[in-house]
Amino acid sequence: EAGVTQSPTHLIKTRGQQATLRCSPISGHTSVYWYQQALGLGLQFLLWYDEGEERNRGNFPPRFSGRQFPNYSSELNVNALELEDSALYLCASSFGTDYDQPQHFGDGTRLSIL
Amino acid sequence: KNEVEQSPQNLTAQEGEFITINCSYSVGISALHWLQQHPGGGIVSLFMLSSGKKKHGRLIATINIQEKHSSLHITASHPRDSAVYICAAWRLYQFYFGTGTSLTVIP
């Protein structure tokens, strides 16, 4: 069984540009979660998609957005990039929306803003 | 103040030692997860707890809902256990993460 895959592995952008990060969940998983892990700040919840709908979002500005496609893959878009957006962005997937379902994480996309 | 607190932040142990990592949370939660993150970023979900105790190999996780506290224990620690361990509380349809405990096990 293929795990959660994220692309690209690394992304280098400059301030003001836009970044698009992609995530393919494990086959059969309908929920996709996005997290940000900035250096020294720990993991923070960004967005949760299930069955194509945004279910919840964390305390991030609207320039962080995303979507989930009919095949359950997901995209995270970050507009008007700022230096503090430099971080590891992790995607996770799970089966359904129950809190006791394990989340399976991808290896992340490391976004660097110059 | 972070809703989820972990201690210690850093831990160095000799191979074979018994290790305990603690997690306290200040609000009601539905479940608590323990995650392991190796250098390079990959995260593995170790346990999900809503009550009691779970065991997997040398790892044991416990939770006391009334005291809002969970512990992760590693018996007979090994250098391959070196990683960052993160507790994550599931509440109101999102995770609240602890800041992580960096564990180094020395041979």
Side-chain angles (χ1 to χ4, degrees), chain A residues 33 35 37 42-45 48 55-58 88 90 97 99-103 105-107 110, chain B residues 30-31 33 35 37 40-45 48 50 86 90-99:
Chain A
Y33 307 78
Y35 302 98
Q37 189 174 38
L43 278 163
Q44 294 187 78
F45 167 75
W48 172 25
R55 299 292 182 176
N56 201 8
R57 65 179 292 129
L88 180 67
L90 289 156
T97 59
Y99 63 81
D100 61 351
Q101 292 294 321
Q103 294 198 3
F105 286 80
D107 290 334
R110 190 163 297 280
Chain B
S30 302
H33 294 232
L35 310 173
Q37 185 171 29
I43 293 180
V44 174
S45 178
M48 299 164 292
S50 55
I86 303 166
W90 180 256
R91 168 180 163 79
L92 299 176
Y93 304 108
Q94 66 171 279
F95 272 130
Y96 294 87
F97 295 95
T99 51

Side-chain angles (χ1 to χ4, degrees), chain B:
Chain B
K1 182 182 184 296
N2 201 12
E3 290 173 309
V4 180
E5 301 281 350
Q6 271 186 253
S7 64
Q9 281 192 320
N10 296 285
L11 184 55
T12 301
Q14 292 289 332
E15 183 173 356
E17 284 187 10
F18 181 85
I19 289 162
T20 296
I21 299 170
N22 295 300
C23 177
S24 297
Y25 49 93
S26 57
V27 294
I29 66 171
S30 302
L32 189 123
H33 294 232
W34 281 99
L35 310 173
Q36 180 192 55
Q37 185 171 29
H38 281 283
I43 293 180
V44 174
S45 178
L46 297 174
F47 293 104
M48 299 164 292
L49 294 162
S50 55
S51 64
K53 174 180 175 178
K54 287 190 176 181
K55 183 177 190 290
H56 181 69
R58 295 179 295 105
L59 301 178
I60 303 166
T62 64
I63 189 168
N64 185 317
I65 296 294
Q66 287 74 26
E67 294 187 4
K68 295 186 170 61
H69 181 269
S70 177
S71 293
L72 176 68
H73 307 285
I74 304 175
T75 61
S77 59
H78 190 276
R80 64 175 174 266
D81 297 326
S82 297
V84 175
Y85 293 83
I86 303 166
C87 67
W90 180 256
R91 168 180 163 79
L92 299 176
Y93 304 108
Q94 66 171 279
F95 272 130
Y96 294 87
F97 295 95
T99 51
T101 295
S102 179
L103 171 65
T104 302
V105 181
I106 300 169

Side-chain angles (χ1 to χ4, degrees), chain A:
Chain A
E1 176 186 83
V4 176
T5 57
Q6 290 187 246
S7 63
T9 305
H10 294 91
L11 190 55
I12 299 174
K13 294 284 187 178
T14 57
R15 285 177 60 189
Q17 285 188 315
Q18 187 222 18
T20 298
L21 288 62
R22 296 179 177 85
C23 173
S24 292
I26 287 173
S27 177
H29 286 189
T30 59
S31 277
V32 171
Y33 307 78
W34 286 96
Y35 302 98
Q36 183 196 64
Q37 189 174 38
L39 194 62
L41 288 182
L43 278 163
Q44 294 187 78
F45 167 75
L46 255 172
L47 288 160
W48 172 25
Y49 291 96
D50 181 72
E51 296 284 0
E53 300 286 331
E54 183 181 297
R55 299 292 182 176
N56 201 8
R57 65 179 292 129
N59 189 24
F60 280 84
R63 58 190 186 83
F64 287 84
S65 65
R67 54 182 171 167
Q68 187 178 33
F69 299 98
N71 66 354
Y72 303 116
S73 67
S74 178
E75 221 173 61
L76 173 68
N77 295 293
V78 188
N79 293 319
L81 287 164
E82 300 178 3
L83 293 176
E84 54 263 33
D85 296 334
S86 293
L88 180 67
Y89 289 84
L90 289 156
C91 168
S93 73
S94 70
F95 178 74
T97 59
D98 290 337
Y99 63 81
D100 61 351
Q101 292 294 321
Q103 294 198 3
H104 299 261
F105 286 80
D107 290 334
T109 292
R110 190 163 297 280
L111 176 62
S112 299
I113 312 303
L114 304 178

